[in-house]
Amino acid sequence: MKKEKGNAIALLPIGVFLILYLGLGILFEYVMKIPMGFYNVPIVVAFLAAILVACLQNRAVSFDRKLEIMAHGVGDKNIITMLLIFLTAGSFVGVVGRSSAESVAYFMLTLIPARFSVAVLFVVACFVSVAMGTSVGTITLLVPIAAAVSSASGFDRAFCVASVMGGAMFGDNLSFISDTTIAACNGQGCEMKDKFRENFWIAFPAALITLVLILILSFQTEIQGHVSQSYHLLQILPYLLVLVGGIIGINVFVVLLTGIVSGAIIMLAGGHITPVDLLTNMGSGVSGMFETCMVAILVAAMCALIREYGGFDALLDWIHKIFRGRKGGQLGMGLLVGTMDIATANNTVAIVMANPIAREMAQEYGITPRKTASLLDTFSCIFQGIIPYGAQMLVAISAVNELGGEISAFQIIPKLFYPMFLLLMSIITIMRSEKTKK
């Protein structure tokens, strides 16, 4: 079957998904006032509805042929690799658990004076999120500590919480075991170490500027008291092994297996967990990745049909009319994944959806796979770190409320310095980018 060129109606399945997911999310969250309403929408069901629409389109193609097209999309090497990394990363998180990450946090907090507490919260969140590979997990872990720092020291609660959220998005963007990194790198066919190096010189300056601003604001605040909790220093080792192994370029599966084995030995030998509970936690960690895996499979199937029908060609034609040149192409990629993140409130899903379109844009504009992966991951984290209905924001607010405090998204957003500086550094980097040979 010859592919139709510039068939805009082929993009209808994406529109159906966005209307269902975004529409129901707004209804649940803001009309029905259901807590975490956006995350009560079954995203897999929304994608199934979108695939049904795609299958009903283009009757010139038989249903058996459509199944073959979807199977070819799902069977791509990058998709299979992505799924296996997702599951292995889930197992690692299950092994090291919450107590290991708490040890990282309290170890750093007990070493510094109270005046530097918020700055250390930001640094701890950066380290923990890079090591754990999850911004939501980092926020869940550290926001209660941030609330304790606020109560004990007198720092503004929103300032403390926003600092943790900023650090969490730093790691979500850079971590080798973050699902956003895995999705972006495998979707664009680049090495994680190459994407890390590309990303680092955008994220690190943004983090450094954020840290300086936090310190300036901290020294303008009257403080008292300090935070002190027990910790297990040895439990930090698995995180360090994963971080160092990823940076020097060891195969991601070897890195994760090293983290799993070292974490299991430390947790069992130290008497922190029983063998049965360890296996249960590993199973829970893997299970936590199931929905992400299913989304990756369904998106691959849907996008294969959209590409076959000519939908991506129509989208690229539209992008070409608005964004011209290599710099324009990079901005177009950023806005593409940002728009999808606003609609889905999930940066991993946004990247998975944007991947096939961005890959074709990269070829058209002469943008390297590592740069494309970096753009997708960075801009998705920028938008995800700010939207008031994102999981990160909702989890932070919920954690404060559970401790008897009160805080709103609109108190936190003005103090989310890191995503704002990350956006600024991303735009500066794009504007300064040199022309790359195709």
Side-chain angles (χ1 to χ4, degrees), residues 10 12 14 19 21 24 35 38 105 111 138 142 230 244 265 274 352 381 420:
L12 180 62
I14 295 178
I19 290 171
Y21 190 76
L24 289 175
F38 266 88
L111 296 180
T138 301
L142 295 183
S230 61
V244 173
I265 292 173
T274 65
V352 171
C381 285
M420 298 174 189

Side-chain angles (χ1 to χ4, degrees), residues 17-18 20-31 33-41 43 136 139 165 169 337-347 350 380 382-398 408-413 416:
F17 166 76
L18 295 179
L20 280 175
Y21 190 76
L22 186 60
L24 289 175
I26 292 172
L27 175 66
F28 290 169
E29 185 79 29
Y30 298 109
V31 179
K33 305 294 184 183
I34 297 175
M36 299 286 286
F38 266 88
Y39 298 90
N40 286 322
V41 180
I43 192 169
V136 173
I139 290 168
M165 290 182 64
M169 297 315 297
V337 74
T339 301
M340 290 186 174
D341 185 79
I342 290 171
T344 62
N346 187 310
N347 46 348
S380 69
I382 289 168
F383 285 88
Q384 184 68 22
I386 294 177
I387 54 175
Y389 51 87
Q392 289 77 4
M393 185 71 73
L394 297 176
V395 166
I397 293 171
S398 176
S408 74
F410 299 102
Q411 291 174 297
I412 297 172
I413 289 173
L416 287 170

